[in-house]
Amino acid sequence: QNVAPLIDALPRIAAIPGAWVEIVTGLSAPLDAQVATAAPQGLAVALTPWTEAAVETGLARCDLVVLPADPGPSHRVKSANRMERALWGGRMVVATPTRAAEPWADLVYLDHDLTAGIRRALAEREHWPARIAAAQERLIQTRSADALALHWEAAAEAAIGKP
């Protein structure tokens, strides 16, 4: 449901020197047809069925993770899990701005125009290591087992009425 903005951007992504795209998602014949129609000659586009292993392999192969979001209301209930996984995996992210992505706006590239976000990210590539390291530190502080345990303990105490 989130891939349409990326498919729409394929002709503009093709103009970025050295660009290639791997889309890791649930596959279908209609998606294959959409990508085949939208991908211009000369842009390598691979469609990979989503699995946990495919995500890990894709992260290892890429320099930049592009996370489109459907402009419809369903993005309001999405989490930042794809972004957080990419950052934890040491990859910079360009994403469509969403409520879930907003807390990461100081460390990733948020842009409604994915191609503009990619170009800006590539132009600032020297900043990626520091931004990724800061994101990983934030993940440790907010998403690690130790950080989440405190929330679970507070929730359990609240549930049993313990002050």
Side-chain angles (χ1 to χ4, degrees):
Q1 101 193 38
N2 289 310
V3 77
L6 180 61
I7 292 171
D8 293 343
L10 290 176
R12 295 181 305 283
I13 291 171
I16 299 171
W20 59 272
V21 177
E22 179 176 12
I23 301 172
V24 179
T25 190
L27 300 183
S28 67
L31 176 63
D32 291 347
Q34 285 179 305
V35 170
T37 300
Q41 188 80 357
L43 177 64
V45 179
L47 289 169
T48 302
W50 186 95
T51 65
E52 289 182 33
V55 169
E56 297 306 316
T57 302
L59 284 173
R61 269 196 293 260
C62 77
D63 293 322
L64 183 64
V65 173
V66 179
L67 299 172
D70 180 345
S74 66
H75 78 269
R76 290 189 196 122
V77 296
K78 298 284 184 177
S79 73
N81 67 316
R82 298 179 303 154
M83 181 178 304
E84 292 170 357
R85 179 62 200 99
L87 291 166
W88 190 248
R91 297 300 180 254
M92 183 44 63
V93 175
V94 171
T96 304
T98 62
R99 203 175 292 168
E102 286 174 11
W104 297 97
D106 60 323
L107 298 172
V108 302
Y109 296 88
L110 301 182
D111 203 313
H112 288 285
D113 179 342
L114 292 173
T115 309
I118 292 168
R119 288 186 181 281
R120 196 171 44 140
L122 291 173
E124 298 179 5
R125 196 176 186 124
E126 70 274 8
H127 300 292
W128 292 9
R131 286 177 143 193
I132 291 167
Q136 290 174 337
E137 183 58 34
R138 187 178 297 169
L139 286 166
I140 290 168
Q141 298 301 318
T142 62
R143 300 290 192 265
S144 68
D146 289 342
L148 293 174
L150 298 174
H151 295 289
W152 281 109
E153 287 173 2
E157 288 173 1
I160 61 171
K162 199 173 178 184

